[in-house]
């Protein structure tokens, strides 16, 4: 569990001695956002860094047998340990074969427990220091594939009008009389579909995630007063519902 602290110290020493350049990037702790969080005091010495991941699988080749499962990965452990079954923490298991109507109801027990530990801390005994320490939880990543990520971020998904999972602000395009949108950056010739006939998009000019804009769009969605108004605002904002992850402490 002390791997993170050792690695962070090594990275800091390398930055100082190598003109603030890292010759090798081989772990999450080399990331700029992590190092900034360390520098600003957002992440503390005893904090436990976590990654949450959810996915689905078909158990049998020739019959309907879909199931869904999620795990917690402890990033404080070294890469050669953290992904081994012995150290993976199961979060939940959703039996199939049908997709659940409300996936968030299955995520809630594990998320509620993690949220409580995030707020109150986790007391553990440090055998090296021979004392009890209070560890905070810091959520680094919530991961899923393209199909499952809307479960976590509450967005419309990759076939929606604003299908980017970041979201980056790129509007999709659809074929005439078809509901599925595609992330086509270039406008096709002789193409005119309402809401999709915007000019070519320069992908190098796309912005990253914008928290302020997301909250503004979420407010627009939540102010919907009718089903028709909701559908209009969902298409406009690319948001289906508030993300379940908003229940966590945003500073962690």
């Amino acid at each position: 569990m002390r791997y993170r602290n050792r690695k962070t110290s090594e990275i800091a020493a390398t930055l100082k001695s190598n003109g603030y350049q890292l010759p090798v990037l081989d772990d999450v702790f080399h990331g700029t956002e992590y190092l900034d969080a360390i520098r600003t005091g957002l992440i503390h010495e005893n904090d436990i860094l976590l990654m949450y991941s959810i996915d689905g699988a078909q158990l049998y080749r020739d019959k309907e047998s879909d199931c869904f499962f999620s795990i917690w990965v402890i990033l404080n452990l070294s890469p050669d340990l953290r992904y081994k079954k012995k150290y993976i923490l199961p979060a939940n298991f959703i039996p199939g074969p049908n997709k659940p109507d409300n996936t968030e109801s299955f995520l809630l027990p594990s998320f509620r427990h993690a949220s409580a530990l995030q707020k109150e801390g986790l007391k553990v005994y440090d055998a090296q220091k021979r004392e009890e320490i209070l560890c905070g939880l810091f959520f680094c990543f919530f991961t899923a594939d393209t199909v499952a990520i809307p479960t976590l971020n509450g967005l419309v998904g990759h076939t929606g009008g604003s299908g980017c999972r970041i979201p980056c602000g790129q509007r999709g395009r659809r074929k005439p009389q078809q509901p599925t949108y595609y992330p086509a950056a270039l406008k096709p010739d002789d193409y005119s579909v309402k809401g999709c006939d915007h000019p070519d998009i320069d992908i190098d000019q796309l912005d990253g995630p914008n928290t302020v804009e997301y909250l503004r769009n979420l407010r627009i969605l939540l102010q919907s007063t009718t089903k028709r108004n909701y559908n209009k605002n969902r298409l406009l904002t690319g948001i289906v519902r508030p993300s379940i992850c908003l229940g966590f402490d945003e500073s962690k």
Side-chain angles (χ1 to χ4, degrees):
M1 290 293 286
R2 297 188 183 279
Y3 166 79
R4 179 180 72 83
N5 292 336
R6 292 198 305 270
K7 191 68 174 180
T8 303
S9 297
E10 292 174 6
I11 293 171
T14 301
L15 287 171
K16 187 175 181 179
S17 63
N18 197 44
Y20 292 93
Q21 298 293 323
L22 292 173
V24 178
L25 306 178
D26 61 5
D27 201 356
V28 294
F29 304 128
H30 288 96
T32 300
E33 291 186 2
Y34 169 76
L35 295 175
D36 285 344
I38 289 291
R39 179 178 54 82
T40 59
L42 191 60
I43 296 178
H44 303 95
E45 178 184 1
N46 293 330
D47 283 351
I48 299 173
L49 275 61
L50 296 174
M51 176 177 73
Y52 178 85
S53 183
I54 185 171
D55 203 354
Q58 182 170 318
L59 300 182
Y60 299 96
R61 184 184 63 181
D62 299 324
K63 69 175 182 178
E64 290 290 333
S65 55
D66 287 348
C67 65
F68 307 86
F69 49 87
S70 62
I71 59 174
W72 293 101
V73 177
I74 304 174
L75 299 179
N76 291 53
L77 298 173
S78 59
D80 61 328
L81 294 178
R82 69 172 69 130
Y83 303 110
K84 293 185 179 296
K85 182 173 65 174
K86 179 179 179 180
Y87 300 103
I88 293 292
L89 303 179
N92 54 60
F93 176 80
I94 308 173
N98 299 320
K99 183 178 179 180
D101 292 332
N102 188 351
T103 306
E104 292 174 336
S105 65
F106 291 90
L107 308 186
L108 184 60
S110 183
F111 277 23
R112 180 183 291 155
H113 182 66
S115 178
L117 291 176
Q118 183 190 39
K119 294 175 181 177
E120 300 175 9
L122 176 65
K123 291 183 178 180
V124 299
Y125 181 75
D126 189 321
Q128 186 178 55
K129 295 181 178 180
R130 296 185 178 182
E131 64 181 16
E132 188 178 78
I133 61 175
L134 185 65
C135 298
L137 298 188
F138 191 96
F139 302 118
C140 288
F141 307 106
F142 288 88
T143 64
D145 61 15
T146 302
V147 177
I149 197 65
T151 302
L152 297 176
N153 62 23
L155 303 182
V156 294
H158 65 289
T159 61
S162 298
C164 184
R165 61 181 179 175
I166 296 178
C168 66
Q170 178 179 349
R171 296 290 300 174
R173 306 181 197 270
R174 61 181 176 84
K175 298 178 181 179
Q177 310 303 320
Q178 297 296 321
T180 302
Y181 287 80
Y182 301 89
L186 302 181
K187 181 182 177 181
D189 295 334
D190 301 321
Y191 176 83
S192 179
V193 175
K194 185 178 180 180
C196 303
D197 55 354
H198 45 272
D200 293 349
I201 298 173
D202 183 354
I203 59 175
D204 292 328
Q205 301 300 318
L206 292 175
D207 296 327
N210 187 317
T211 303
V212 174
E213 183 176 355
Y214 168 78
L215 293 176
R216 179 181 63 83
N217 287 337
L218 180 60
R219 190 176 300 111
I220 292 174
L221 183 79
L222 295 178
Q223 290 174 346
S224 303
T225 56
T226 64
K227 179 67 173 178
R228 181 178 180 180
N229 189 225
Y230 166 79
N231 290 336
K232 177 183 176 181
N233 289 333
R234 182 179 65 180
L235 180 61
L236 173 67
T237 63
I239 302 175
V240 176
R241 60 186 176 277
S243 168
I244 189 174
C245 298
L246 291 176
F248 291 112
D249 183 349
E250 63 180 16
S251 66
K252 291 292 187 177

